[in-house]
Amino acid sequence: MVIYRPLTRSELPDDTASLARTLIGKIVVRELPEGIASGRIVETEAYVTGDAAGHGYRGTTPRNRSLFLEPGHAYVYLAYGISYMLNVSSEMAGVGTGVLIRALEPLEGIPIMRLNRGIERLRDLARGPGRLAQALRIDRSLDGLDLCRKGPLWLARDDHEPDEIGESVRIGISKDADRLLRFYVRKSPFVSGPASLNG
């Protein structure tokens, strides 16, 4: 079994874009009845203050209230009625900004992920935010969870340093679409999105 240590709140930058970059190379750990499933973060997107594409742009609602918690909490929402998305709240309580976890490189519990996803191909288990949520069985029951302490879902780190980190525009949005707020590991096969954004 791999030993990780929780990512502490004091290690989180207080700027959303900086947090999105910092989370590259960190680990999402999911504790399930049948064992641990985990993956290394290879792609994120920042949704910053005043960002028209962000869910906190128009203020607090029952759905997005976890986005307004202090940094390091899970904000999980259902996109298009189909896929859950895992986000990390990113700035001081009440601000409403966050980082979308877009893709993972699977580490532990790969058989669990394959069963959850119903596919075998390693590259596609957690390549994209909906896929990674399905692979790790993430849903609204985990919304609001403190990701800086061990539990059913938490953030961890080890001694790994990510390879070169690229920046691009974000994927699948129409508002504030030209901002370079997507971060990813260059040349990682586990990154989502079109090849034109992954150079």
Side-chain angles (χ1 to χ4, degrees), residues 34-47:
E34 59 270 48
I36 298 283
S38 68
R40 192 176 304 284
I41 299 170
V42 295
E43 182 185 359
T44 60
E45 285 180 346
Y47 289 85

Side-chain angles (χ1 to χ4, degrees), residues 45-47 53-56 61-67 73-89 96-102 128-134 137-145 153 170-173:
E45 285 180 346
Y47 289 85
H55 282 197
T61 67
R63 182 179 86 149
N64 73 11
R65 63 182 181 272
S66 297
L67 196 58
H73 285 78
Y75 167 48
V76 180
Y77 67 89
L78 186 64
Y80 311 114
I82 300 169
S83 301
Y84 289 102
M85 306 282 175
L86 172 63
N87 301 259
V88 181
S89 60
T97 53
V99 174
L100 172 65
I101 309 300
R102 279 201 58 92
R131 289 172 173 177
L132 79 84
Q134 186 180 27
R137 217 177 299 157
I138 292 170
D139 59 22
R140 285 281 293 172
S141 69
L142 301 170
D143 182 56
L145 208 64
L153 182 69
R170 294 171 293 184
I171 295 172
I173 61 169

Side-chain angles (χ1 to χ4, degrees), residues 4-56:
Y4 308 125
R5 68 173 183 81
L7 195 60
T8 64
R9 192 158 281 109
S10 63
E11 293 177 277
L12 306 180
D14 57 9
D15 170 77
T16 303
S18 297
L19 177 61
R21 178 181 281 275
T22 296
L23 287 175
I24 298 290
K26 304 306 187 291
I27 300 157
V28 178
V29 181
R30 179 75 166 106
E31 299 188 10
L32 293 162
E34 59 270 48
I36 298 283
S38 68
R40 192 176 304 284
I41 299 170
V42 295
E43 182 185 359
T44 60
E45 285 180 346
Y47 289 85
V48 299
T49 305
D51 187 342
H55 282 197

